Amino acid sequence: MNEVLSGMNVNLSYPAITTERVNRFVLCTSGDSVKVYSTRTEEWLHSLQGHTNQVTGIALNPANHLQVYSCSADGTVKLWDFIDGILIKTFIIGYPLFAIYVSEKHEGIVFLHIAMDTDSKKEGFQLVAVHLPKSAEQEVEAKELSAVSSHISPNPSCTAFGREGQYIAFARNLQLNVYFFRKQKTYSFSLKATDKKGAKNAFTCIACHPTDDCIATGHEDGKIRLWRNFIHKKEYTYSTQHWHHNAVNTLCFTPEGTNLLSGGIESVLVQWQYGTGNRKEFLPRLGGSILHVSASSDGQLFCTSHSDNKITVIESSFKVCGVIQGLVKGDAVLTDLMIDPRSKALVLNGKPGHLQFYSLLRDKHLYNLDIVQQEYIYEAGLDQFEVVKAAFDIKGYWLATVEERGQKSADLEFFLKLWSYDERTQSFVLNTTITAAHTDRIISMCFSSSEETTMLVTIAEDGQFKAWCQGVDADTKQDQNFWSCDFVGSYHNLKPTNCSFSADSSLLAVSFQEVITIWSPDTWELLTTLCQPPGVIRDLCFGRLSCSKYLISTTTRNLLCCWNLLTCALEWSTSVEVSKLQSDPLSENVAAFSYQSKHTDLFVFKPNEPRPLFTHKNVCSEKIHRAVFVPREEPLNNCDESSQWLNRSQLYFLTQNMDLLTFSTATEEDRMLSSSTRLVIDDSVAVTPFYLLLGKHRQQQQKLNTPSHQAADRPQQPQGSVTITELLHTPAHVLPPASVLCSMFVSSLLISNTGVLQDPLRKEMESSEQEMNSEKEEEDSEGEMEACDSQQELRVQGSVDEVTPKLSKAQERELKRVRKTDFSWMAGLIASKP
Amino acid sequence: MQLFSSLWLWKLSCKGIIRTTTGQRHLKHTHTCFRKPQHKHLQRDQLQNSEDYWERRRRTIGLKEWDHARLSDPDWVCAGSAGLDAVGIWFRECTHDREEGTQSEDLRSAMGEFKVHRVRFFDYMPSGIRALAFNQDTERMAVARMDGSVEVFHCSDRFFQEKIIPGREQCGIEGLSWVGERLFSAGLNGGITEYDLTNQKVKYTIDAYGGPIWTITGNQQGTHLAVGCEDGTVKLFEVNEDQIQFERNLDRQKSRIISLSWHPSGSKIAAGMMDMIQVFNVETGHSIHRMLADRGAGTSRSKECVVWSVVYLSDGTIITGDSVGMVKLWDDQTGTLIKSHNVTKCDVLALSVSQNEDSLVAGTSEGIVVQFQFVSMVLEKDDKEWVRTRTFRNHTHDIRAVAEITTAVVSGGMDAQLVVRPLLDKIEVRSAASALRKIHFPHRRLVSCARKSGLMLFQYPGHLELWRLGESEGKGTPGSSLFVKRNPEKLLQLKVKGEDHIRCSAVSPCGGWIVYSTASTLRLYRLHCDNNNISITKISKLPKVLSSANQLCFSSDSSHLFSASAQSSVHIASLSQSGCKFVGTLKPKSGSHQAIHLLAASEDGKWLASANSDHEVHIYNLQTQKAHCTVPVYSSAVTAMGIHPATNCLFMMHADQQMFEYSIEQKQYTDWSRTVQRKGLHRFWVERDTPCLNVMFNPQNPSHVILHDMYMLCIIDQSLPLPDDKTQFYNQLTLKSLTEEQRKSQSHAFKVCKTFKDILCVELMPDQSLVVVERPLEDIATQLPAPIKQKKFAT
């Protein structure tokens, strides 16, 4: 078992987004790999893996437009064929590299940013030219380094090549330098730190006009200066344009030089017409602040990368034509990590004021849910509403959110909002807004897990906990049910710290400082109190299934206690500093992250035995505050004892660096790899007669498949894909004659057609037998499947769980719960009784 | 936009009366006496406790913030560290506002302690700038203002205002042009005027008979003048020796000619009109090309596009600025548009190209000057293009005229200030002469003071105002304001007869005589003032020679009037109860005949000094009525001078901030002056950008010379050592913190007080009080017409 970076979290850290002429791709750095996306489908095609450290920059090979250079902090420059994902060459430089630049005029030379001193803590960078040796070997050491300039800005957008690679312009702080290669002479121009109006003049980015000798520079105060005549020390001249109200992050000339693109924190892409003063076009509301802009070599497409982990593909007509969205990473995740019970998507803070739904299975951003419903103002230091708490009920029908403003200042403003799921629009609709839910900040909230009545409990710093129920509003007498307060409870005016419902919702535990109070939600009777000082209770969680009689709590004084609720006594306790306690909803397992001596350890245990099932030392070096168990679509059958706890669900957790990490097993990894190759086949197919045939065929197939697998996210495996894959992957010049191919191709189509036809047949059969015993049905369908070819068998076996209950969704879930939850709870009771 | 509408107003009004800059209220009164109402004290007491009273007090005193510790006594408002010098010069302030006059009490005998009358009731209003013309050869900039006055600035002498030709009613100048060293103007009254720059007056005016003239321009050869008229004709005038003569019309067009520009060769003329540009062949008089200017989009489509300005370059490019806000480049070979730059949403009103045609400036009605440069797009190649580069925002209102001179961009407009913005890439050495310069006030004195009787005479273009200073009582600490016992009052308003504006005026030291002169007449009045009755009588029979004066001055005992007139001569008239009698004329022995702009009479009545625009200073002996001597000519103009009452030394201030002291009796520079020249002046002193306007002497401290310019007041103590470049120049605060002994070693001759701002005049009264006449620029700004409304970020 190994720990992997969950693929989605690192989408873009660096500029190099490039589009390519024939099949449009977007390349971007992502951790230690370069990801290739299709601009047409916005789909992730593959990644170029091979670097051992952060990839810091990429640049298309000007000599061959199918190749790309990438540089990395591991000290290597690699040349890739990015269409096929093949590593062509590795050049070993030996120093950590921070940016790469190439120019058409300088063939075989790359320009790199390296640190001045070996310890990169000092902010000294230098620009070096590296002659790449021509050699047939895969790995070459490039030792021919020549320094172009020292004291380079660490910001890679502050360096740019000028017209035809004749000069290179680089800026640092308040100085602009232009180095002419032919003359080997540097001209430098400096600005004053501030002008009379107090504007900040420091350079933030540079772009050079492709055909004219004109350098565009962006500045901290939002000004853009166009420098000309910079061959003279004195008679240089510049014109100033000002639209951005904050620092200009990026500048880019279109390849013909007719326009200049600029972007900043305003998240507005501005297109300045070159040469006509201040005529400009805007493309507003692109999301997070724009970090980088690049244009394709033919000028047809622009790409902007944003601070919220997004790439926007924009047509030259200034229309957004594609959005590649990774996991949105705001400044901080204030909500817990949650799983939407319906879509099984991960839910957390997304764009400011939004909740994002992210499908972990497909590693794809699904959508943002606007909670705050106010226009976000892109201005630093402005106190704006932010979603701080969110909770789903167990069916995923209700969503409760808390938004807050004024965390820093004294006057706090917050709203509690309840959202119901609308089947018709397939999204959450605001049901109730409660403006003064509490007199002070809401600390935590949770939904009851009972089936009949949904109840929300909120606890706040005013010392109260409140239960909220749906009730018919007496005044309006509408059909719609709004939420209102049902019960207000407190305990000795102590400040509550946490709350939790038991698995069957028969008990509510609310912790008040050092005391845990157990309430009955039906009668609102205080059943008992549990107290184990010292230390304020930090986390509370009930055991599940067979361990549901246990209540686990953690305190600030490094204590993990497990209470037996039947005896109301402390079952066991251990001294461990736990920063996050998370229970698995599908098993008895509880995961505890403990932070000790500057690294985090993970313990997985069952409440009934004080011995961990699994420990993993040194998971990461930061404190973990957010974690979630994500139920698997299909359980794994791992026999390995240490990974058994991963069979039913997967553990995801978020570090303070906003990296989302998970545990996965080796078998999973293999599957991920295979699925990624499959995606390549799907999307990189050129438009050929084959493709058209295949596409038509696939559309047909999808049409047929959709009714049977409405909710399933699982992509369908194309029928007879082996033959087609082979056909398409073989270069044209080695293919056998078309006459041979034709029969093969037709036969492949035939096979797949029969396979598809079986689906609706089976479906019909199933629906007619709906009233039958589910177990019997399972047997039947399994028996039937045996008649199919081996490929089909595999697939169906995988989806046994889904095929069985072809009842309604609610029924299915109920059945599951009857089978698993209730029974185990009973079993637990029985087991504990004697 | 506002200009656009005023175009119609002008068109209608060009036959009738054109609006005046002076107030309309007192037009009927020529001799009016005013008494101030006496209820001011009551008001003041009512206001005293309210917040806004204090706020107003604070602002009038010029404090940034109140020192709350000292506010406990409401009668004494302390102005913090407003003191001038720790050695003992204190300023005791009192405020004189039009509403709220105050004055202070007399002083203890501490050296250098002054009671200050802070006068703010001189409502001087500079007139907007309408046209600029730069003469490359003489480095003179001619400026025409809205009120018809023409001023000549010397560009290489710190932009000193050498010559002022006052305007007249109904004389709206629209264009100015140099032909050689001759200056011509044309205006909406339909006449072309040539100026006599030597005597600073209008030489002649001839009618062009084409209706109002919108533009005038001379060719580079200096042979012809072209004017653009309302009736659509371009008229060519031949420039002769002493006159101009109408030659012919070019092809008449249907609409008015707004702007004109000669091709440098003189063979073609480009004319900007309504909606189009015409290019004429001067030989044939026929139109070669007719180029249509686009109207604006949307609603402005129905409005005509006015081509406000046109520039014809030697390579055949025609550049136009129009009311749509575009600067357009046209090719005169094909008559087609090459390129257009959208500069503004409003009008581009003025264009000017540099001498070598590589830079162009455009002034807009938003108050912005935009620079275009002719630069090569690819380095080291010759294909150049006009590229918009810099933007200068120094104006708040419409820019009506721009001019690019060798090292700077000069612009002027409705906000009445002349802005000189240096182009740093053209300047070799950065110095005080190459700093940004804003000229607000004329470099002449508009205030004269009757020292003995406490009267002030304010000179407005069309009238004079006589005020009596207020009085104060009580004693104050330095920097505090005093209780006002008697408010200042306006005694008299004297309206000028005729259409000419006042050129110069003076009140006698005793307060018994008032004299003023326009371009055509000189009037002398006898003023009787006993307590509350003021009467004024005009002296009817004046000697013939006193028909007009360039500068007027009374002798210190008020017995004689000196009137500077043509040929650099000064006429002397003796004044008595019976009237005025001509005594004699003082003529310089030799030298130029430029008009005299400064006169200074000695306290003992023995000497008279005159300075003219050729930088010559002549000294006359009044007893013999003969020229006594001539001060060696210095390269910079004299901006102020005075004769020391005790030593009879002439103290002169020059435009380049140098100072000289010349002993009249010994006919040589004094030792102190030689020391100053040898040691050089402090850098901070030389770098000031406004000329000194008055030289005064403190009779109680013969070594003190008091000077002032627009921003500061300075006392030079000739007994103290001069500062060198290493010493701290503004050292009053430092001195205050030092002990007695250290002070002696630290102090130097220059004591600068910057408590007062926007100073028009400072005068030392015999009772050791100072009168400081201020005209805050904010007050001027509030009286200007509203600028074009612009959407600004975050408003």
Side-chain angles (χ1 to χ4, degrees), chain B residues 27-241:
Chain B
L27 279 177
K28 297 244 167 77
H29 311 267
T30 43
H31 302 235
T32 323
C33 298
F34 279 92
R35 301 274 329 144
K36 269 271 160 185
Q38 291 296 314
H39 60 268
K40 285 292 162 192
H41 281 289
L42 190 70
Q43 264 191 2
R44 183 178 172 277
D45 291 332
Q46 282 167 346
L47 279 169
Q48 206 165 34
N49 293 323
S50 63
E51 278 298 311
D52 68 338
Y53 169 74
W54 291 110
E55 187 58 25
R56 259 170 55 210
R57 264 340 254 287
R58 183 179 69 72
R59 260 184 272 131
T60 47
I61 291 170
L63 266 185
K64 280 214 178 101
E65 264 173 354
W66 286 114
D67 185 351
H68 281 282
R70 300 200 206 166
L71 271 178
S72 48
D73 183 4
D75 255 340
W76 294 100
V77 182
C78 310
S81 57
L84 185 69
D85 189 358
V87 180
I89 302 176
W90 298 108
F91 277 94
R92 185 145 299 163
E93 295 187 27
C94 56
T95 349
H96 290 258
D97 250 314
R98 196 182 259 284
E99 286 82 23
E100 208 179 305
T102 61
Q103 217 197 358
S104 58
E105 41 81 72
D106 52 353
L107 291 174
R108 283 154 289 174
S109 60
M111 153 189 150
E113 189 166 328
F114 295 104
K115 178 173 73 177
V116 178
H117 299 262
R118 197 167 190 173
V119 174
R120 290 195 175 180
F121 41 74
F122 182 24
D123 290 338
Y124 168 71
M125 201 51 210
S127 180
I129 292 170
R130 182 60 193 86
L132 293 173
F134 178 60
N135 191 331
Q136 184 79 32
D137 305 325
T138 56
E139 292 194 301
R140 297 299 200 277
M141 175 68 77
V143 177
R145 291 191 184 261
M146 301 284 187
D147 64 354
S149 63
V150 172
E151 295 157 8
V152 178
F153 291 84
H154 193 167
C155 299
S156 53
D157 189 16
R158 303 270 189 117
F159 266 84
F160 181 67
Q161 192 178 30
E162 277 188 334
K163 288 163 190 170
I164 301 175
I165 300 160
R168 44 200 315 245
E169 302 287 314
Q170 301 181 31
C171 164
I173 294 179
E174 283 292 315
L176 266 182
S177 179
W178 289 95
V179 176
E181 293 193 8
R182 295 162 73 179
L183 183 65
F184 294 90
S185 80
L188 294 175
N189 54 5
I192 302 170
T193 306
E194 185 179 352
Y195 294 95
D196 177 0
L197 291 175
T198 314
N199 293 316
Q200 300 182 16
K201 63 179 189 187
V202 173
K203 200 167 171 186
Y204 58 85
T205 300
I206 62 162
D207 202 326
Y209 299 106
I213 299 174
W214 290 95
T215 175
I216 180 168
T217 172
N219 63 357
Q220 278 193 1
Q221 289 71 29
T223 56
H224 285 88
L225 271 175
V227 294
C229 303
E230 174 74 19
D231 66 351
T233 52
V234 177
K235 292 176 192 289
L236 290 185
F237 285 83
E238 195 184 351
V239 182
N240 295 332
E241 282 280 300

Side-chain angles (χ1 to χ4, degrees), chain A residues 739-754:
Chain A
S739 55
V740 182
L741 264 180
C742 185
S743 61
M744 212 167 86
F745 182 64
V746 169
S747 66
S748 81
L749 286 182
L750 282 173
I751 291 162
S752 67
N753 270 349
T754 53

Side-chain angles (χ1 to χ4, degrees), chain B residues 246-400:
Chain B
F246 175 70
E247 198 172 274
R248 63 202 163 91
N249 283 336
L250 302 184
D251 282 358
R252 185 170 171 171
Q253 304 300 314
K254 275 182 185 151
S255 65
R256 65 174 73 89
I257 311 284
I258 301 287
S259 51
L260 281 175
S261 177
W262 290 83
H263 187 266
S265 70
S267 60
K268 282 178 275 189
I269 283 186
M273 303 163 64
M274 311 303 278
D275 278 334
M276 68 171 105
I277 301 116
Q278 293 270 11
V279 186
F280 295 98
N281 186 332
V282 179
E283 287 292 309
T284 61
H286 298 314
S287 164
I288 310 169
H289 286 297
R290 183 168 168 272
M291 302 175 289
L292 293 180
D294 276 344
R295 290 181 179 191
T299 48
S300 54
R301 204 129 200 106
S302 54
K303 278 188 197 163
E304 281 176 308
C305 170
V306 187
V307 181
W308 284 118
S309 184
V310 61
V311 165
Y312 209 148
L313 302 185
S314 52
D315 65 354
T317 309
I318 298 168
I319 303 171
T320 61
D322 56 32
S323 63
V324 183
M326 307 287 271
V327 170
K328 290 183 170 168
L329 291 100
W330 310 81
D331 183 12
D332 77 330
Q333 288 293 318
T334 56
T336 50
L337 182 69
I338 305 169
K339 201 168 183 192
S340 63
H341 292 272
N342 191 1
V343 171
T344 170
K345 287 182 184 127
C346 328
D347 303 28
V348 177
L349 291 172
L351 289 177
S352 170
V353 75
S354 67
Q355 191 69 18
N356 52 0
E357 297 188 350
D358 65 348
S359 169
L360 175 89
V361 284
T364 73
S365 50
E366 283 171 327
I368 310 171
V369 175
V370 180
Q371 191 189 13
F372 293 85
Q373 278 176 291
F374 199 48
V375 293
S376 50
M377 298 310 282
V378 177
L379 292 174
E380 293 166 334
K381 284 194 182 161
D382 270 346
D383 51 338
K384 291 191 171 183
E385 270 183 52
W386 284 98
V387 175
R388 179 183 166 161
T389 53
R390 275 167 282 202
T391 306
F392 310 124
R393 294 167 203 272
N394 294 312
H395 290 272
T396 54
H397 289 67
D398 307 47
I399 293 174
R400 298 302 304 267

Side-chain angles (χ1 to χ4, degrees), chain B residues 261-560:
Chain B
S261 177
W262 290 83
H263 187 266
S265 70
S267 60
K268 282 178 275 189
I269 283 186
M273 303 163 64
M274 311 303 278
D275 278 334
M276 68 171 105
I277 301 116
Q278 293 270 11
V279 186
F280 295 98
N281 186 332
V282 179
E283 287 292 309
T284 61
H286 298 314
S287 164
I288 310 169
H289 286 297
R290 183 168 168 272
M291 302 175 289
L292 293 180
D294 276 344
R295 290 181 179 191
T299 48
S300 54
R301 204 129 200 106
S302 54
K303 278 188 197 163
E304 281 176 308
C305 170
V306 187
V307 181
W308 284 118
S309 184
V310 61
V311 165
Y312 209 148
L313 302 185
S314 52
D315 65 354
T317 309
I318 298 168
I319 303 171
T320 61
D322 56 32
S323 63
V324 183
M326 307 287 271
V327 170
K328 290 183 170 168
L329 291 100
W330 310 81
D331 183 12
D332 77 330
Q333 288 293 318
T334 56
T336 50
L337 182 69
I338 305 169
K339 201 168 183 192
S340 63
H341 292 272
N342 191 1
V343 171
T344 170
K345 287 182 184 127
C346 328
D347 303 28
V348 177
L349 291 172
L351 289 177
S352 170
V353 75
S354 67
Q355 191 69 18
N356 52 0
E357 297 188 350
D358 65 348
S359 169
L360 175 89
V361 284
T364 73
S365 50
E366 283 171 327
I368 310 171
V369 175
V370 180
Q371 191 189 13
F372 293 85
Q373 278 176 291
F374 199 48
V375 293
S376 50
M377 298 310 282
V378 177
L379 292 174
E380 293 166 334
K381 284 194 182 161
D382 270 346
D383 51 338
K384 291 191 171 183
E385 270 183 52
W386 284 98
V387 175
R388 179 183 166 161
T389 53
R390 275 167 282 202
T391 306
F392 310 124
R393 294 167 203 272
N394 294 312
H395 290 272
T396 54
H397 289 67
D398 307 47
I399 293 174
R400 298 302 304 267
V402 288
E404 184 162 350
I405 63 173
T406 344
T407 58
V409 173
V410 183
S411 55
M414 298 287 284
D415 53 2
Q417 53 176 342
L418 188 72
V419 177
V420 184
R421 171 65 165 75
L423 294 171
L424 294 178
D425 53 335
K426 303 267 173 65
I427 294 164
E428 293 301 320
V429 191
R430 288 197 190 189
S431 65
S434 66
L436 175 73
R437 199 180 287 273
K438 288 188 179 184
I439 299 166
H440 299 276
F441 296 147
H443 294 160
R444 297 274 170 93
R445 290 179 61 198
L446 298 174
V447 181
S448 52
C449 191
R451 258 172 272 147
K452 284 162 192 160
S453 53
L455 300 177
M456 319 264 322
L457 184 72
F458 299 141
Q459 177 188 325
Y460 295 88
H463 67 277
L464 297 168
E465 274 182 13
L466 189 71
W467 287 71
R468 181 190 284 147
L469 290 170
E471 276 175 26
S472 64
E473 66 181 10
K475 289 173 182 177
T477 52
S480 58
S481 86
L482 303 175
F483 178 73
V484 181
K485 193 172 74 185
R486 200 186 69 198
N487 283 317
E489 51 189 342
K490 183 173 170 183
L491 303 175
L492 185 73
Q493 175 159 323
L494 199 60
K495 173 85 177 69
V496 172
K497 264 236 166 111
E499 289 175 338
D500 288 335
H501 287 166
I502 299 171
R503 181 188 274 171
C504 55
S505 63
V507 62
S508 68
C510 66
W513 301 89
I514 290 176
V515 65
Y516 77 84
S517 169
T518 66
S520 52
T521 58
L522 185 144
R523 274 167 210 268
L524 180 67
Y525 295 91
R526 179 99 180 105
L527 191 72
H528 305 282
C529 181
D530 45 356
N531 287 328
N532 292 336
N533 295 322
I534 294 138
S535 63
I536 185 166
T537 45
K538 189 185 153 193
I539 308 298
S540 50
K541 282 183 190 167
L542 284 179
K544 276 235 171 90
V545 287
L546 295 181
S547 63
S548 162
N550 284 318
Q551 187 59 265
L552 290 162
C553 173
F554 286 97
S555 66
S556 60
D557 57 356
S558 307
S559 63
H560 287 86

Side-chain angles (χ1 to χ4, degrees), chain B residues 556-672:
Chain B
S556 60
D557 57 356
S558 307
S559 63
H560 287 86
L561 170 69
F562 307 112
S563 153
S565 72
Q567 308 282 310
S568 278
S569 60
V570 180
H571 301 297
I572 307 169
S574 73
L575 305 171
S576 61
Q577 285 295 341
S578 55
C580 174
K581 220 197 248 165
F582 175 67
V583 176
T585 302
L586 304 171
K587 278 187 184 163
K589 278 179 191 155
S590 59
S592 75
H593 300 299
Q594 290 282 351
I596 288 167
H597 69 276
L598 279 175
L599 283 175
S602 69
E603 194 71 26
D604 56 8
K606 202 176 170 192
W607 307 104
L608 179 75
S610 74
N612 68 14
S613 338
D614 263 351
H615 313 171
E616 288 175 353
V617 179
H618 299 287
I619 299 166
Y620 303 97
N621 187 331
L622 290 174
Q623 286 161 346
T624 60
Q625 296 190 11
K626 290 258 169 68
H628 176 68
C629 63
T630 304
V631 178
V633 177
Y634 183 64
S635 60
S636 181
V638 183
T639 64
M641 61 183 186
I643 297 172
H644 199 285
T647 60
N648 273 347
C649 289
L650 180 67
F651 196 94
M652 290 166 288
M653 286 304 303
H654 290 271
D656 62 353
Q657 311 296 356
Q658 293 296 327
M659 53 183 77
F660 293 95
E661 197 185 26
Y662 187 81
S663 167
I664 293 173
E665 276 142 18
Q666 290 161 21
K667 296 188 186 178
Q668 63 178 11
Y669 287 117
T670 62
D671 290 343
W672 185 82

Side-chain angles (χ1 to χ4, degrees), chain B residues 702-721:
Chain B
S703 63
H704 282 193
V705 181
I706 305 170
L707 305 167
H708 83 90
D709 67 7
M710 187 179 148
Y711 300 107
M712 60 106 213
L713 166 68
C714 175
I715 297 175
I716 297 174
D717 191 339
Q718 289 177 315
S719 61
L720 286 173

